[in-house]
Amino acid sequence: MEKEKKLNIFEYADYREFLKDFNEMKKRVNPSWSFGLWASKLGLNSISSITMIINGQRHAGKKIQASLIKYFDFNSKETYYFEELVKIAKSSKNDPSLTILMLEQNEDLKSLREENTEQVDLFFNWKAHCVKELTQITDFIPDGAWVEKRTNGLIKEEEANKLLSALLKNNFIEKCNINGKETLAAVGAIHPTKEVTMDAAKAYHKGLMDNSYEAINTHKDKRSLNATTLSVLKEDIPKAKEIIREFQMHFSEEIEKNPADEVYQLNIQFFPLTNKD
């Protein structure tokens, strides 16, 4: 059975995602866990307050914030960060992109995150995947300055050096000798080293989509940007997702090479433009 562990509030940009992840973790650890039990421990008269917050139907008021802070035994820094996340969530009107932007623009909260958050999981860092793939191109040099130049500044020298060290430390790349020259080579795929959170996944995919936007300026001979708008049956959505996944795997098998000349990114998005529910 999974052991209970304390979640790090500083790893979250949305306080409700923190509450969701905590609730899911508790259910995995304790089969008897329920919203009713949680509400009782929080001193609430009913489960509606906590369920409506988690479901995005309302925000935590001062009284519930105080109950949650006491329940999680937050220290002063955690309390301040949690209360500020609630304020940001209210101001951003449930817009994830605006939430992250407001968090990044708050220097106090940004410094708290950097001070108290463990290194971002490499699995959810598109730059880590890029650096790993760079080890497979013919002119690769294991140096941050080279990475910055080769990625046209997308990955800065200092960050690149940190990623190379982290990838090496976690055995996702290894030291080797090629033609008498010491270098680095990829070893397997990057996998998660800690529990997956919604915030981490959102930030990862947002980064990928930001790259797609910038790719519009890349010469048309070097990129392919396509889109289709279509009507579908709900019952066919699982089938559509499976076809996309199969294409992605087939594409990688056919196109990926080692050694290679460049590092490319393939993004495929399939999402609704309408909502019948």
Side-chain angles (χ1 to χ4, degrees):
M1 180 180 291
E2 181 179 335
K3 292 183 179 180
E4 183 173 339
K5 62 181 180 180
K6 181 178 179 179
L7 300 183
N8 186 351
I9 183 62
F10 296 107
E11 293 181 352
Y12 291 82
D14 187 330
Y15 79 97
R16 286 168 300 190
E17 293 297 336
F18 170 80
L19 298 177
K20 286 179 185 177
D21 286 347
F22 173 79
N23 184 56
E24 291 300 318
M25 184 267 290
K26 290 291 288 188
K27 286 194 293 186
R28 293 194 299 271
V29 172
N30 180 8
S32 64
W33 177 260
S34 67
F35 279 121
L37 179 59
W38 195 6
S40 176
K41 289 179 178 294
L42 290 171
L44 304 176
N45 295 325
S46 69
I47 68 170
S48 61
S49 295
I50 191 68
T51 56
M52 290 178 72
I53 291 170
I54 286 181
N55 292 332
Q57 296 170 295
R58 62 169 289 185
H59 283 295
K62 289 292 184 181
K63 183 177 180 180
I64 296 179
Q65 286 183 53
S67 296
L68 289 167
I69 289 167
K70 182 179 180 181
Y71 175 78
F72 288 112
D73 193 25
F74 285 153
N75 60 33
S76 58
K77 289 184 178 180
E78 291 169 328
T79 297
Y80 172 71
Y81 186 81
F82 179 78
E83 291 175 337
E84 289 301 305
L85 285 190
V86 176
K87 292 178 184 177
I88 287 176
K90 290 179 178 179
S91 301
S92 66
K93 300 185 184 300
N94 300 323
D95 183 335
S97 298
L98 183 56
T99 297
I100 293 174
L101 177 62
M102 292 176 70
L103 181 59
E104 287 298 312
Q105 290 179 338
N106 188 313
E107 292 301 322
D108 288 340
L109 300 188
K110 190 175 180 180
S111 62
L112 274 176
R113 282 167 66 87
E114 292 173 350
E115 182 182 317
N116 294 282
T117 305
E118 294 179 6
Q119 183 180 22
V120 175
D121 195 317
L122 296 172
F123 181 76
F124 289 112
N125 187 340
W126 70 264
K127 294 179 182 180
H129 291 271
C130 179
V131 170
K132 173 179 169 291
E133 292 300 317
L134 279 169
T135 65
Q136 301 186 85
I137 65 176
T138 52
D139 59 329
F140 172 69
I141 298 176
D143 176 74
W146 179 89
V147 172
E148 179 174 352
K149 181 179 180 180
R150 200 67 167 80
T151 60
N152 295 316
L154 279 175
I155 306 176
K156 302 302 182 184
E157 179 179 354
E158 183 179 355
E159 186 175 17
N161 282 325
K162 288 181 179 178
L163 288 171
L164 285 167
S165 296
L167 288 166
L168 190 61
K169 178 182 177 182
N170 288 278
N171 299 314
F172 297 135
I173 58 176
E174 64 180 5
K175 293 181 179 180
C176 62
N177 192 295
I178 299 178
N179 298 324
K181 183 183 294 185
E182 187 174 284
T183 186
L184 299 170
V187 183
I190 298 176
H191 55 78
T193 55
K194 62 183 179 183
E195 186 173 357
V196 174
T197 68
M198 286 299 296
D199 274 343
K202 286 177 183 177
Y204 171 69
H205 286 289
K206 182 181 182 299
L208 297 182
M209 288 187 280
D210 287 344
N211 288 343
S212 294
Y213 177 77
E214 294 299 327
I216 294 173
N217 299 317
T218 302
H219 192 280
K220 62 182 180 64
D221 291 342
K222 293 184 176 182
R223 48 83 170 163
S224 175
L225 302 178
N226 301 285
T228 302
T229 304
L230 65 163
S231 54
V232 302
L233 293 173
K234 279 188 175 181
E235 63 193 59
D236 287 334
I237 293 175
K239 179 181 179 182
K241 292 169 69 175
E242 181 61 27
I243 290 173
I244 292 171
R245 179 61 179 159
E246 288 178 356
F247 166 75
Q248 182 182 351
M249 291 188 291
H250 179 67
F251 182 90
S252 296
E253 290 171 357
E254 290 291 322
I255 302 301
E256 187 169 25
K257 297 292 185 293
N258 183 15
D261 303 315
E262 302 286 355
V263 174
Y264 268 63
Q265 180 180 303
L266 171 68
N267 288 350
I268 305 172
Q269 287 89 38
F270 178 63
F271 53 88
L273 296 177
T274 56
N275 182 14
K276 188 177 180 181
D277 298 331

